[in-house]
Amino acid sequence: MGWQGRLLSMAGRTQLVQSVFQSMLLHSFSKYHWPVYLVKKLTSWARNFIWSGNIGTRKIVTIRWAQVCAPKLEGGLGIRDLSSLNSAAILKFAWDSFSSHSQWGDYVRPSNLHVADFISHQSWQLPPFFCQAFPLLARQISDLALPLIDESDMLIWEPSTSDFWKSYCQKPFSSQLFNLWLAAGMFTFMALWKARNKLRFDNRTPNFYTMCCSIMAWIREISLFAPGHYKGVLDARLLASLGVAPKGGKAPRIQHVLWQPPFFPWIKVNTDGLAKGNPGPAACGGVFRDASACFSSRSFSPPWNLRVRWNNCLSIIRQMNFRCSHIFREGNMVADKMANLGLSNASFTWYDNPPTELHGFLQADYLGIPNYRFS
């Protein structure tokens, strides 16, 4: 909704969301567990419509959506949260299935029904309500020949062992093309199912060209809401051939990162850690530098017992005047390199002089040469 929604007051838009928008979803919510992304998308549309009158216009507000969805007695607007509504509707359907005393409940409640349960004395014994609800299907079942000797049920349709779905969902596409690829698969199956039903029940021969046009129309429609962006010329050409406008990714944000030496007489300690896999080998490294950005070391004999190490560290920290800060990896290259060196060592290593691998990074920090972070 655009200008039509803006003509309504906020109270009118709230009532419209409660009475129309959420009521339309109740039947589907009681049968299917909706994807999280789709529920969040619908929630954002409802929120935007209430505050701005347009589902595509986001307005900055100071009230949390959880408070808006609270009951009116608790200061909210009484709008139901869609995720909670979906879960509650499914739970109600499950409860009705297990607690209903109707014929339908008695029919769907057993979980171990077999074909033999509907056969008695070499004849079909179908439930009366099933014959009334599905007379054509009941007649077709009754026409099936039964064996004269009781036999056990046989599984005719073996479960698929192919990797079709796995290979289908693992295409190395860009995010926009991959989302449309998944949508195209679902739309294709939906079109085939509709064509099958028309042929089966209406005796109408499906038209392949019409099916393709319908699938393409659905792809173009869903492309307006599908997230992601394209990468490369090939993806752009594929999207253009589908009639979909390629969505470019956001330009990277370039951030200037510069290591700063400490003030005299402070000593700055930069640390970093890394792990190769989970689980896998891990290491950490650190470097001490003074106000002149020079490598600083203090000779000591590292203890071998972990408990003693910990107690010694605590004792020293209590006597120190220190503060903690954060720096991006691009400005912490010396400690990052030390951590990589630590991974190649089998035990704790202390360097009184900087290793050769650190000379270039130490020189860059000494000269104040910046690094750049792209995000």
Side-chain angles (χ1 to χ4, degrees):
M1 293 186 177
W3 60 269
Q4 301 96 329
R6 288 192 291 271
L7 293 178
L8 297 174
S9 64
M10 180 175 291
R13 295 196 294 266
T14 303
Q15 186 63 38
L16 189 63
V17 170
Q18 287 179 313
S19 303
V20 180
F21 176 71
Q22 294 191 335
S23 298
M24 293 171 59
L25 303 173
L26 280 177
H27 176 73
S28 179
F29 273 8
S30 63
K31 301 297 185 292
Y32 309 105
H33 188 273
W34 281 41
V36 176
Y37 168 77
L38 189 56
V39 173
K40 289 183 178 179
K41 193 69 176 179
L42 293 176
T43 300
S44 66
W45 286 350
R47 181 176 61 246
N48 293 341
F49 179 71
I50 289 176
W51 293 115
S52 66
N54 192 319
I55 63 175
T57 302
R58 183 177 180 180
K59 186 177 180 180
I60 299 177
V61 295
T62 58
I63 302 177
R64 296 184 299 112
W65 183 248
Q67 181 62 34
V68 176
C69 295
K72 293 182 179 179
L73 295 178
E74 299 179 6
L77 297 180
I79 297 176
R80 291 169 290 185
D81 178 65
L82 294 184
S83 179
S84 302
L85 181 62
N86 190 193
S87 300
I90 292 178
L91 290 174
K92 182 180 183 300
F93 178 76
W95 174 256
D96 291 342
S97 301
F98 284 98
S99 61
S100 176
H101 298 289
S102 63
Q103 291 181 333
W104 172 83
D106 295 336
Y107 177 72
V108 300
R109 197 160 29 246
S111 58
N112 57 347
L113 288 177
H114 302 280
V115 177
D117 297 332
F118 300 97
I119 299 175
S120 178
H121 304 290
Q122 283 75 41
S123 64
W124 292 100
Q125 299 295 329
L126 301 177
F129 74 92
F130 180 83
C131 298
Q132 295 175 4
F134 309 100
L136 180 60
L137 182 59
R139 191 180 309 112
Q140 292 177 347
I141 294 176
S142 300
D143 293 338
L144 295 175
L146 294 174
L148 299 177
I149 302 175
D150 292 340
E151 299 180 0
S152 59
D153 290 344
M154 181 184 300
L155 183 63
I156 300 300
W157 194 338
E158 294 287 347
S160 176
T161 58
S162 66
D163 294 333
F164 171 76
W165 287 113
K166 184 178 180 180
S167 60
Y168 185 87
C169 297
Q170 292 183 347
K171 297 296 183 182
F173 295 143
S174 60
S175 54
Q176 183 186 10
L177 190 59
F178 179 75
N179 291 326
L180 293 180
W181 172 258
L182 295 181
M186 292 186 291
F187 293 147
T188 301
F189 281 108
M190 182 178 67
L192 292 174
W193 179 252
K194 287 184 176 181
R196 178 262 179 196
N197 291 339
K198 289 181 180 180
L199 179 62
R200 176 66 179 81
F201 300 107
D202 299 338
N203 198 25
R204 294 170 54 186
T205 303
N207 187 292
F208 181 75
Y209 178 76
T210 304
M211 289 174 55
C212 292
C213 292
S214 176
I215 295 172
M216 292 290 290
W218 276 106
I219 292 176
R220 287 191 290 269
E221 183 70 21
I222 200 65
S223 67
L224 301 176
F225 310 101
H229 56 273
Y230 79 99
K231 292 182 180 179
V233 179
L234 180 59
D235 283 5
R237 290 180 177 178
L238 289 174
L239 292 170
S241 65
L242 295 174
V244 176
K247 298 179 181 179
K250 294 182 179 179
R253 186 168 61 94
I254 304 176
Q255 190 171 356
H256 181 274
V257 182
L258 180 64
W259 182 86
Q260 297 287 350
F263 294 106
F264 180 83
W266 286 76
I267 298 293
K268 175 174 282 191
V269 183
N270 290 103
T271 61
D272 192 22
L274 81 160
K276 299 294 186 180
N278 185 19
C284 62
V287 57
F288 295 78
R289 281 178 284 186
D290 55 21
S292 61
C294 295
F295 191 87
S296 176
S297 67
R298 295 180 181 177
S299 60
F300 76 106
S301 178
W304 57 270
N305 186 279
L306 182 60
R307 180 180 59 84
V308 177
R309 290 182 185 179
W310 178 252
N311 291 333
N312 289 345
C313 288
L314 292 180
S315 177
I316 296 174
I317 287 176
R318 294 190 187 100
Q319 303 173 13
M320 292 175 57
N321 181 17
F322 70 96
R323 60 174 180 265
C324 298
S325 61
H326 173 267
I327 188 171
F328 290 115
R329 181 181 296 273
E330 289 76 7
N332 199 30
M333 300 301 295
V334 178
D336 178 67
K337 188 63 179 178
M338 287 291 290
N340 282 273
L341 291 176
L343 196 64
S344 61
N345 296 328
S347 61
F348 181 83
T349 304
W350 178 268
Y351 294 94
D352 290 329
N353 296 306
T356 307
E357 294 85 352
L358 301 184
H359 289 175
F361 300 107
L362 289 170
Q363 186 72 10
D365 289 344
Y366 177 79
L367 296 176
I369 299 176
N371 291 295
Y372 297 94
R373 179 181 179 87
F374 298 87
S375 60

Coordinates of all heavy atoms in Angstrom, one line a residue, residues 154-184:
M154 N 3.9 -54.7 1.7 CA 5.1 -54.6 0.9 C 5.3 -53.1 0.5 O 4.4 -52.5 0.1 CB 5.1 -55.4 -0.3 CG 6.4 -55.4 -1.2 SD 6.2 -56.4 -2.7 CE 5.9 -58.0 -2.0
L155 N 6.5 -52.6 0.7 CA 6.9 -51.3 0.4 C 7.2 -51.2 -1.1 O 8.1 -51.8 -1.6 CB 8.1 -50.8 1.2 CG 8.6 -49.4 0.9 CD1 7.5 -48.4 1.4 CD2 9.9 -49.1 1.7
I156 N 6.3 -50.5 -1.9 CA 6.4 -50.4 -3.3 C 7.3 -49.3 -3.7 O 8.1 -49.4 -4.6 CB 5.0 -50.3 -4.0 CG1 4.1 -51.5 -3.6 CG2 5.1 -50.2 -5.5 CD1 4.7 -52.8 -4.0
W157 N 7.1 -48.1 -3.1 CA 7.9 -46.9 -3.5 C 9.1 -46.8 -2.5 O 9.0 -46.4 -1.4 CB 7.0 -45.7 -3.3 CG 7.6 -44.5 -4.0 CD1 8.9 -44.3 -4.3 CD2 6.9 -43.3 -4.4 NE1 9.1 -43.1 -4.9 CE2 7.9 -42.4 -5.0 CE3 5.6 -42.9 -4.4 CZ2 7.5 -41.2 -5.5 CZ3 5.3 -41.7 -5.0 CH2 6.2 -40.8 -5.5
E158 N 10.2 -47.3 -2.9 CA 11.4 -47.2 -2.1 C 11.9 -45.8 -1.9 O 11.7 -44.9 -2.8 CB 12.5 -48.0 -2.8 CG 12.3 -49.5 -2.9 CD 12.4 -50.2 -1.6 OE1 12.9 -49.6 -0.6 OE2 11.9 -51.4 -1.5
P159 N 12.4 -45.5 -0.8 CA 12.9 -44.1 -0.6 C 14.1 -43.8 -1.5 O 14.9 -44.7 -1.8 CB 13.4 -44.1 0.9 CG 13.6 -45.6 1.2 CD 12.6 -46.3 0.4
S160 N 14.1 -42.6 -2.0 CA 15.1 -42.2 -2.9 C 16.5 -42.1 -2.3 O 16.7 -41.6 -1.2 CB 14.8 -40.8 -3.5 OG 15.8 -40.4 -4.4
T161 N 17.5 -42.7 -3.0 CA 18.9 -42.6 -2.5 C 19.7 -41.7 -3.4 O 21.0 -41.7 -3.2 CB 19.5 -44.0 -2.4 OG1 19.4 -44.6 -3.8 CG2 18.7 -44.9 -1.5
S162 N 19.1 -41.0 -4.3 CA 19.9 -40.2 -5.2 C 20.3 -38.9 -4.5 O 19.7 -38.5 -3.5 CB 19.1 -39.8 -6.4 OG 18.0 -39.0 -6.1
D163 N 21.3 -38.2 -5.0 CA 21.8 -37.0 -4.5 C 21.2 -35.8 -5.2 O 21.9 -34.7 -5.4 CB 23.3 -36.9 -4.5 CG 23.9 -38.0 -3.5 OD1 23.2 -38.3 -2.5 OD2 25.0 -38.4 -3.8
F164 N 20.0 -35.9 -5.8 CA 19.5 -34.8 -6.6 C 19.3 -33.5 -5.8 O 19.8 -32.5 -6.2 CB 18.1 -35.3 -7.2 CG 17.4 -34.1 -7.9 CD1 17.8 -33.7 -9.2 CD2 16.4 -33.5 -7.3 CE1 17.1 -32.7 -9.8 CE2 15.7 -32.5 -7.9 CZ 16.1 -32.1 -9.2
W165 N 18.6 -33.6 -4.7 CA 18.4 -32.4 -3.9 C 19.7 -31.8 -3.4 O 19.8 -30.6 -3.3 CB 17.4 -32.7 -2.7 CG 16.0 -32.9 -3.2 CD1 15.3 -34.1 -3.2 CD2 15.2 -32.0 -3.8 NE1 14.1 -33.9 -3.7 CE2 13.9 -32.6 -4.1 CE3 15.3 -30.6 -4.2 CZ2 12.9 -32.0 -4.7 CZ3 14.3 -30.0 -4.8 CH2 13.1 -30.6 -5.1
K166 N 20.6 -32.7 -3.0 CA 21.9 -32.2 -2.4 C 22.6 -31.4 -3.5 O 23.2 -30.3 -3.3 CB 22.7 -33.4 -1.9 CG 24.0 -33.0 -1.3 CD 24.8 -34.1 -0.7 CE 26.1 -33.7 -0.1 NZ 26.8 -34.9 0.5
S167 N 22.7 -32.0 -4.7 CA 23.4 -31.3 -5.8 C 22.6 -30.1 -6.3 O 23.2 -29.1 -6.7 CB 23.6 -32.3 -7.0 OG 22.3 -32.7 -7.5
Y168 N 21.3 -30.1 -6.2 CA 20.5 -29.0 -6.6 C 20.7 -27.8 -5.7 O 20.7 -26.6 -6.2 CB 19.0 -29.4 -6.6 CG 18.1 -28.3 -7.2 CD1 17.8 -28.2 -8.6 CD2 17.5 -27.4 -6.4 CE1 17.0 -27.2 -9.1 CE2 16.7 -26.4 -6.9 CZ 16.4 -26.3 -8.3 OH 15.6 -25.3 -8.8
C169 N 20.8 -28.0 -4.4 CA 20.9 -26.9 -3.4 C 22.3 -26.5 -3.2 O 22.6 -25.7 -2.3 CB 20.2 -27.4 -2.1 SG 18.5 -27.7 -2.3
Q170 N 23.3 -27.1 -3.9 CA 24.7 -26.7 -3.7 C 25.3 -26.1 -4.9 O 26.5 -26.3 -5.1 CB 25.5 -27.9 -3.2 CG 25.1 -28.4 -1.8 CD 26.0 -29.6 -1.4 OE1 26.7 -30.2 -2.1 NE2 25.9 -29.9 -0.1
K171 N 24.6 -25.4 -5.7 CA 25.1 -24.8 -6.9 C 25.9 -23.6 -6.5 O 25.5 -22.8 -5.6 CB 24.0 -24.3 -7.8 CG 23.2 -25.5 -8.4 CD 24.0 -26.4 -9.3 CE 23.2 -27.5 -9.9 NZ 24.0 -28.4 -10.7
P172 N 27.1 -23.4 -7.1 CA 28.0 -22.2 -6.7 C 27.6 -20.9 -7.3 O 28.4 -20.3 -8.0 CB 29.4 -22.7 -7.2 CG 29.1 -23.6 -8.4 CD 27.8 -24.3 -8.1
F173 N 26.3 -20.5 -7.1 CA 25.8 -19.3 -7.7 C 26.1 -18.1 -6.7 O 26.3 -18.3 -5.5 CB 24.4 -19.4 -8.0 CG 24.0 -20.4 -9.1 CD1 22.9 -21.2 -9.0 CD2 24.9 -20.6 -10.2 CE1 22.6 -22.1 -10.0 CE2 24.6 -21.5 -11.2 CZ 23.5 -22.2 -11.1
S174 N 25.9 -16.9 -7.2 CA 25.9 -15.8 -6.3 C 24.6 -15.8 -5.5 O 23.7 -16.6 -5.8 CB 26.0 -14.5 -7.1 OG 24.9 -14.4 -8.0
S175 N 24.5 -15.0 -4.4 CA 23.4 -15.1 -3.5 C 22.1 -14.8 -4.2 O 21.1 -15.5 -4.0 CB 23.6 -14.1 -2.3 OG 23.9 -12.8 -2.8
Q176 N 22.0 -13.8 -5.1 CA 20.8 -13.4 -5.8 C 20.3 -14.6 -6.7 O 19.2 -15.0 -6.7 CB 20.9 -12.1 -6.5 CG 19.6 -11.7 -7.2 CD 19.7 -10.5 -8.1 OE1 20.8 -10.0 -8.4 NE2 18.6 -9.9 -8.6
L177 N 21.3 -15.1 -7.5 CA 21.0 -16.1 -8.5 C 20.6 -17.4 -7.7 O 19.8 -18.2 -8.2 CB 22.1 -16.3 -9.4 CG 21.9 -17.2 -10.6 CD1 20.8 -16.7 -11.5 CD2 23.1 -17.3 -11.5
F178 N 21.3 -17.7 -6.6 CA 21.0 -18.9 -5.9 C 19.6 -18.9 -5.3 O 18.9 -19.9 -5.3 CB 22.0 -19.1 -4.7 CG 21.8 -20.3 -3.9 CD1 22.1 -21.5 -4.4 CD2 21.2 -20.2 -2.6 CE1 21.9 -22.7 -3.6 CE2 21.0 -21.3 -1.8 CZ 21.4 -22.5 -2.3
N179 N 19.2 -17.8 -4.7 CA 17.8 -17.7 -4.2 C 16.7 -17.8 -5.3 O 15.7 -18.5 -5.1 CB 17.6 -16.3 -3.5 CG 18.4 -16.2 -2.2 OD1 18.6 -17.2 -1.5 ND2 18.9 -15.1 -1.9
L180 N 17.0 -17.3 -6.4 CA 16.1 -17.4 -7.6 C 16.1 -18.9 -8.1 O 15.1 -19.4 -8.6 CB 16.4 -16.4 -8.7 CG 16.2 -15.0 -8.4 CD1 16.6 -14.1 -9.6 CD2 14.7 -14.7 -8.0
W181 N 17.3 -19.5 -8.0 CA 17.4 -20.9 -8.4 C 16.5 -21.8 -7.5 O 15.8 -22.7 -8.0 CB 18.8 -21.3 -8.4 CG 19.1 -22.8 -8.6 CD1 19.4 -23.7 -7.6 CD2 19.1 -23.5 -9.8 NE1 19.6 -24.9 -8.2 CE2 19.5 -24.8 -9.5 CE3 18.9 -23.1 -11.1 CZ2 19.5 -25.8 -10.5 CZ3 19.0 -24.1 -12.1 CH2 19.3 -25.4 -11.8
L182 N 16.5 -21.6 -6.2 CA 15.7 -22.4 -5.3 C 14.2 -22.1 -5.6 O 13.4 -23.0 -5.6 CB 16.0 -22.0 -3.9 CG 17.4 -22.4 -3.4 CD1 17.6 -22.0 -1.9 CD2 17.7 -23.9 -3.5
A183 N 13.9 -20.8 -5.8 CA 12.5 -20.4 -6.1 C 12.0 -21.1 -7.4 O 10.9 -21.5 -7.5 CB 12.3 -18.9 -6.1
A184 N 12.9 -21.1 -8.4 CA 12.5 -21.7 -9.7 C 12.2 -23.1 -9.5 O 11.3 -23.7 -10.2 CB 13.6 -21.4 -10.7

